[in-house]
Each structure stands twice: as structure tokens, then as C-alpha cells.
């Protein structure tokens, strides 16, 4: 049975322990101060002893593709070169950092963010196929705004090449590995998903293998990454669309996702992060409570109205969020079942995240599966708890639990461009108290110099 403190290898790279920071939006953008924002956000996490930091989704194309405000783009080699200050800061603490590469496709923010759409009326979204009728209905009703550009076969290879080039720039800037945003409705998930992918070329589904198009797109990205970045460790999220709403008839099933993850190892991926997600914008990736404090914040009301188009529509979304929170209550380690099913089939590391909050859960997930002979997962990751406690690593490695209550007050304000931070007073107070007591201090983790 592995312990959280045990080293582990991904693609030949040794990580000092099995704890990672799941990719989260840093909202750093690309403007002045972007690198400092990223250092402020990620260096404390590395300093706290977390073995692997995944920087949040960063966009490989110069236009469109951002799912939310202030995402960072990584198509420009000069900008990415500046990120060597970030990778250096992480390395100074003995940590490792992977860059997550992404493109939003139909999930891009000009589709749902009214203010952004007004500023960029000409912007088109890369589309795997003609959007499914459910999205076209929302478009016609004026609830979203689609301008899809369906990718030709050549354009798919060009897009894979853009992922590869960004990976090359990242490795030159000192990143230790590449993570692909393969879920959360990103374009990679759209290729994998029979809901989105109706193509009839080599990047479309095969009879009996609905994710074949996604597998081939991920193979094209793999090849482009190898061309530009050599044998850098390469990881991807692998989606199972098991929580798609009932009216979605075609989705990636649990078994499809296990098959896809298995096939990706043959393609050459060094680790996988299996996650159960939806085909739509919903709370499936942030399962937890209805964030009443965030929705009611008086200073954000005007910004919500600007983001969603009107106070009326913002109120409708608030109600939808309340209903969603009932369906997506937080479950501790909600991807564990899928991760273990994948782990049964493959020999590369399987990374598990989603609702993990206690040291006991980390140990249980890393250990042998509940009394049976199946292996545990290889690494465990936490996301929102790092907004609440950027230096959480030290406490978890010391056997303590995270303070995060999965209340989601950190998530909704990000639609206005606000940075992710804990907004729940009881948690913020407790973190301050622990800080005063020195709970986050540890000489051995604070510097390797
Ligand atoms: C605000 C926010 C931003 C996120 N951004 C990303 C991202 O950029 N890429 C990604 O793969 N997952 C992203 N996720 C999902 C997280 O990586 C993680 O899977 C999810 O938060 C569940 O873990 P948790 O319960 O520990 O927060 C994001 C989640 C949140 C809450």
C-alpha cells in the first residue's frame, strides 16, 4: 500500500510524493503582472511540499478558446519564456510543475458571456461538428450565442500542432510535464464525445468505438508534443460523460471512458486522470453546496448582470444553480470508482481528484481498494481546497485535513473575472488562526537551498 509521502514516477520523472494540486483557474491572463500572479498563486503550494502542481488550463490558440475570463494563452513563445520565473520558483522548493494545455471549442466564453461577446462580435468557435440540436435550441432562444467554425481534417492536424508547439515552448521554459484539458467540455472532450462528434473523417467515431475520433485527436496531439517537446511526461484528463442530463442520448459511457484511457496508454500517454463529467455547463466538476454568499454578494451584482446579459438572466442562472446543487452534492472522491476501473486495466499512473478533503480519504484511495485485490490509485489531487489554503500541502502531509467546505463561494465570482479565493468567513478565519500557530510552516519544505 502506497503512502501519500512515497515518491512516484510519471513518464520517468520522479515526484517527491503522491499529492498534487489539481488544475484550477488562476485568472492571471497575459498582461502586465501575469507571471507574478501565477507565482503568487502557485509558489506557496510548491513551498508547502505538494509534489506536483498542475497549472490551470492555458489556451493554445491566439483567438477564442477561453472558457472563462482572464485565462492565460500560451501560443506566444516570448510570453511562455517569461514563465521560466514561475517554473524556477517551483523548482527552488523541490516541486514539479506541469502546464495544462486547452482549447474551449464550443465552450468558449463568447458563447455564454454576454459582455465578452459584445466586445468580440466577430469571434468564431472551433467546432468538431455542427453543434448538437440542444445547443442550437439554446442559441435560437438567445441564451447562448454560437458562431461555430467546423474544423476540416487539415485544421484538426493544425490544432494538434498548436498543442505541440505550446508544449515545446513550455518545456523550454522549464515545465516538467504537460497536462491536457481533456474534460470539462473542452475541445478534447468534444472530440471524444458522441454528443459533439458527428464527423465522418478519421477524427469521427467508429462503429463500436464512440471515442475513436477523440483517441485519434489525442494521438495527433501526442505526436505533435513528442515532435516539439521530446519525451516530456504527458498526462490527460479522460472524460466519462456519465452525468449528462437525461435528454442527452449519445454520451461517453463509463466503459467507453475505461476503453479510451486504456487505448491512450498504447498511444504513449504517461498518466491519466479519469473524471466523470457532463456534456453541458453544470456543477458536475464542482460538486458541492449552492454558493448563496457568492450569488448574493452586493458588489458583484452588476458584474453578474454584465456577464450573463441582464439581471433577469443572472437570477434565472442563480435558480438553476440552486437546483443543480441538489443533484451534485459533494461526494468524497467522486471519481474513485472510475479511476479504479481504469487502474485495473493499465500500468501507468492513475491520478484521482474530485471532492477529496481528508488525509484518511487520500490514504484510502492510495491503498488497496475496499477489501478487494484491486490496486489503489497512484496520486491524489485536490482543487478548491488550495483556494482556501494555498499552503495546504504541509498540513495534509502531516496527517491533517483540508478546511475547504465545498461551499463553492469561490467558483461563481470567477465568471466576472475575479480570482479564485475562499470567500467563506469561517474558513478564512480558521486559516488565519492556523497560520498564526505556524501550522503551515516547515523548514524542510520551505526551501531546498
Ligand atoms: C474554479 C475552478 C477552475 C477549474 N479549472 C480547471 C482547469 O483549468 N482544468 C481542469 O482540468 N480542471 C479544472 N477544474 C476542475 C478541478 O481540477 C477539479 O477536478 C475539481 O475542482 C474537483 O476537485 P475538488 O473537489 O478538490 O475541487 C476547475 C475547478 C474549479 C472549481
Amino acid at each position: 500500500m502506497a503512502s501519500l509521502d512515497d515518491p512516484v514516477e510519471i513518464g520517468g520523472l520522479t515526484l517527491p510524493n503522491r499529492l498534487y494540486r489539481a488544475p484550477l483557474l488562476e485568472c492571471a491572463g497575459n498582461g502586465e503582472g501575469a507571471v507574478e500572479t501565477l507565482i503568487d498563486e502557485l509558489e506557496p503550494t510548491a513551498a508547502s511540499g505538494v509534489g506536483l502542481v498542475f497549472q490551470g488550463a492555458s489556451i493554445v490558440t491566439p483567438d477564442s478558446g477561453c472558457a472563462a475570463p482572464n485565462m492565460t494563452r500560451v501560443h506566444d513563445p516570448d510570453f511562455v519564456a517569461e514563465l521560466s520565473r514561475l517554473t524556477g520558483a517551483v523548482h527552488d522548493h523541490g516541486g514539479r510543475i506541469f502546464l495544462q494545455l486547452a482549447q474551449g471549442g464550443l465552450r468558449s466564453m463568447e458563447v455564454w458571456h454576454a459582455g465578452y461577446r459584445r466586445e468580440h462580435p466577430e469571434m468564431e468557435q472551433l467546432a468538431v461538428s455542427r453543434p448538437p440540436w440542444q445547443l442550437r435550441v439554446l442559441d435560437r432562444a438567445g441564451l447562448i450565442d454560437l458562431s461555430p467554425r467546423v474544423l476540416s481534417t487539415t485544421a484538426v492536424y493544425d490544432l494538434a500542432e498548436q498543442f505541440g508547439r505550446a508544449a515545446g515552448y513550455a518545456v523550454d521554459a522549464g515545465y516538467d510535464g504537460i497536462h491536457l484539458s481533456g474534460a470539462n467540455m473542452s475541445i478534447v472532450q468534444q472530440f471524444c464525445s458522441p454528443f459533439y462528434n458527428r464527423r465522418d473523417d478519421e477524427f469521427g467515431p467508429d462503429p463500436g468505438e464512440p471515442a475513436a475520433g477523440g483517441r485519434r485527436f489525442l494521438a495527433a496531439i501526442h505526436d505533435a508534443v513528442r515532435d516539439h517537446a521530446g519525451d516530456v511526461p504527458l498526462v490527460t484528463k479522460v472524460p466519462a460523460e456519465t452525468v449528462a442530463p437525461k435528454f442527452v442520448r449519445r454520451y461517453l459511457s463509463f466503459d467507453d471512458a475505461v476503453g479510451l484511457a486504456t487505448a491512450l496508454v498504447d498511444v504513449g500517454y504517461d498518466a491519466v486522470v479519469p473524471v466523470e463529467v457532463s456534456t453541458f455547463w453544470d456543477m458536475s466538476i464542482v460538486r458541492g453546496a449552492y454558493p448563496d454568499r457568492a450569488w448574493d454578494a452586493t458588489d458583484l451584482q452588476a458584474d453578474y448582470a454584465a456577464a450573463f446579459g441582464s439581471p433577469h438572466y443572472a437570477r434565472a442562472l442563480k435558480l438553476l444553480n440552486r437546483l443543480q446543487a441538489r443533484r451534485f452534492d459533494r461526494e468524497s472522491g467522486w471519481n474513485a470508482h472510475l479511476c479504479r476501473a481504469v487502474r485495473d486495466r493499465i500500468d501507468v499512473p492513475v491520478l484521482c481528484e474530485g471532492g477529496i478533503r481528508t488525509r484518511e480519504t487520500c490514504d484510502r484511495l492510495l491503498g488497496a481498494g475496499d477489501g478487494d485485490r484491486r490496486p489503489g490509485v497512484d496520486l491524489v489531487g485536490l482543487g478548491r481546497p488550495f483556494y482556501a489554503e494555498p499552503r495546504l500541502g504541509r498540513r495534509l502531509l502531516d496527517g491533517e485535513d483540508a478546511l475547504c467546505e465545498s461551499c463553492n463561494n469561490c467558483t461563481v465570482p470567477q465568471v466576472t473575472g475575479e480570482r479564485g479565493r475562499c470567500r467563506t468567513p469561517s474558513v478564512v478565519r480558521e486559516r488565519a488562526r492556523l497560520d498564526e500557530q505556524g501550522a503551515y510552516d516547515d523548514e524542510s519544505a520551505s526551501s531546498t537551498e
Side-chain angles (χ1 to χ4, degrees):
M1 170 172 165
S3 153
L4 196 59
D5 310 282
D6 289 342
V8 63
E9 267 194 19
I10 295 183
L13 176 79
T14 303
L15 305 173
N17 58 52
R18 291 164 185 258
L19 176 63
Y20 70 90
R21 181 245 198 213
L24 287 177
L25 295 181
E26 292 91 12
C27 305
N30 288 79
E32 208 178 314
V35 181
E36 280 64 35
T37 301
L38 288 164
I39 293 174
D40 284 354
E41 185 95 4
L42 300 175
E43 184 184 12
T45 300
S48 76
V50 169
L52 175 57
V53 173
F54 286 128
Q55 187 175 327
S58 306
I59 305 305
V60 299
T61 52
D63 305 304
S64 185
C66 289
N70 293 337
M71 287 178 75
T72 298
R73 292 187 189 275
V74 289
H75 64 285
D76 172 12
D78 292 338
F79 174 78
V80 181
E82 288 180 38
L83 294 171
S84 58
R85 282 190 282 135
L86 166 66
T87 59
V90 169
H91 293 157
D92 283 347
H93 297 287
R96 304 289 194 182
I97 179 165
F98 286 22
L99 180 63
Q100 191 186 55
L101 302 179
Q103 220 289 344
L106 294 180
R107 196 206 190 286
S108 298
M109 67 182 277
E110 66 274 12
V111 171
W112 62 267
H113 193 293
Y116 190 74
R117 161 56 82 187
R118 258 197 309 279
E119 286 163 24
H120 301 89
E122 74 302 333
M123 206 170 259
E124 293 178 323
Q125 303 85 50
L126 302 184
V128 173
S129 304
R130 184 179 184 222
W133 67 260
Q134 292 90 337
L135 292 190
R136 298 202 307 271
V137 168
L138 293 178
D139 184 33
R140 257 182 250 123
L143 299 176
I144 58 173
D145 198 341
L146 290 170
S147 309
R149 174 154 44 94
V150 177
L151 292 157
S152 66
T153 307
T154 311
V156 177
Y157 279 110
D158 288 346
L159 179 58
E161 185 65 13
Q162 283 175 294
F163 275 87
R165 276 201 296 271
Y169 307 151
V171 167
D172 289 346
Y175 283 91
D176 301 288
I178 298 297
H179 188 346
L180 300 181
S181 172
N184 309 347
M185 265 179 85
S186 71
I187 202 154
V188 173
Q189 181 183 335
Q190 290 162 34
F191 268 98
C192 295
S193 170
F195 178 66
Y196 288 97
N197 189 337
R198 318 278 169 120
R199 297 178 71 93
D200 54 12
D201 66 354
E202 64 200 88
F203 293 109
D206 282 352
E209 191 192 349
R215 171 172 57 74
R216 292 192 197 103
F217 182 52
L218 281 160
I221 294 178
H222 166 272
D223 294 349
V225 169
R226 294 288 174 245
D227 281 351
H228 291 275
D231 56 2
V232 63
L234 179 60
V235 179
T236 185
K237 285 199 176 178
V238 179
E241 296 173 325
T242 43
V243 289
K246 290 247 176 332
F247 58 84
V248 171
R249 299 258 174 235
R250 299 158 62 132
Y251 58 87
L252 210 59
S253 72
F254 188 96
D255 289 345
D256 295 333
V258 174
L260 174 61
T262 310
L264 291 177
V265 178
D266 294 335
V267 167
Y269 279 81
D270 297 305
V272 291
V273 190
V275 286
E276 296 203 46
V277 294
S278 173
T279 47
F280 275 111
W281 293 262
D282 61 24
M283 282 182 71
S284 57
I285 63 158
V286 291
R287 300 177 204 207
Y290 165 72
D292 49 356
R293 174 173 283 273
W295 277 113
D296 294 342
T298 39
D299 57 324
L300 293 176
Q301 296 309 308
D303 293 332
Y304 288 148
F308 297 125
S310 72
H312 177 66
Y313 189 34
R315 272 196 299 277
L317 286 172
K318 179 176 165 184
L319 177 65
L320 191 63
N321 193 178
R322 191 186 282 278
L323 298 174
Q324 286 257 311
R326 289 198 193 146
R327 180 168 174 226
F328 291 113
D329 197 7
R330 182 182 72 87
E331 244 176 87
S332 177
W334 69 73
N335 292 309
H337 181 48
L338 176 64
C339 289
R340 285 205 169 121
V342 171
R343 191 67 188 78
D344 266 350
R345 300 266 297 268
I346 68 174
D347 285 328
V348 303
V350 173
L351 283 61
C352 183
E353 63 196 42
I356 301 168
R357 300 290 179 266
T358 67
R359 175 62 194 256
E360 188 274 331
T361 309
C362 296
D363 292 337
R364 187 167 44 79
L365 291 170
L366 291 168
D370 309 319
D372 60 29
R373 292 199 307 276
R374 291 184 302 165
V377 301
D378 300 279
L379 288 94
V380 287
L382 287 75
R384 288 164 288 176
F386 283 101
Y387 282 153
E389 298 173 89
R391 289 179 290 151
L392 169 62
R394 185 70 274 132
R395 294 205 315 107
L396 270 176
L397 290 163
D398 283 347
E400 307 291 326
D401 299 337
L403 297 176
C404 175
E405 296 173 356
S406 307
C407 63
N408 277 323
N409 285 321
C410 59
T411 59
V412 177
Q414 294 192 28
V415 303
T416 70
E418 286 273 316
R419 275 179 75 177
R421 63 180 171 86
C422 182
R423 293 166 170 264
T424 302
S426 57
V427 175
V428 173
R429 273 198 303 273
E430 183 58 9
R431 177 185 60 203
R433 194 185 68 77
L434 288 171
D435 206 0
E436 231 166 73
Q437 284 182 351
Y440 299 105
D441 300 340
D442 182 305
E443 284 306 305
S444 65
S446 63
S447 175
T448 55
E449 287 173 347

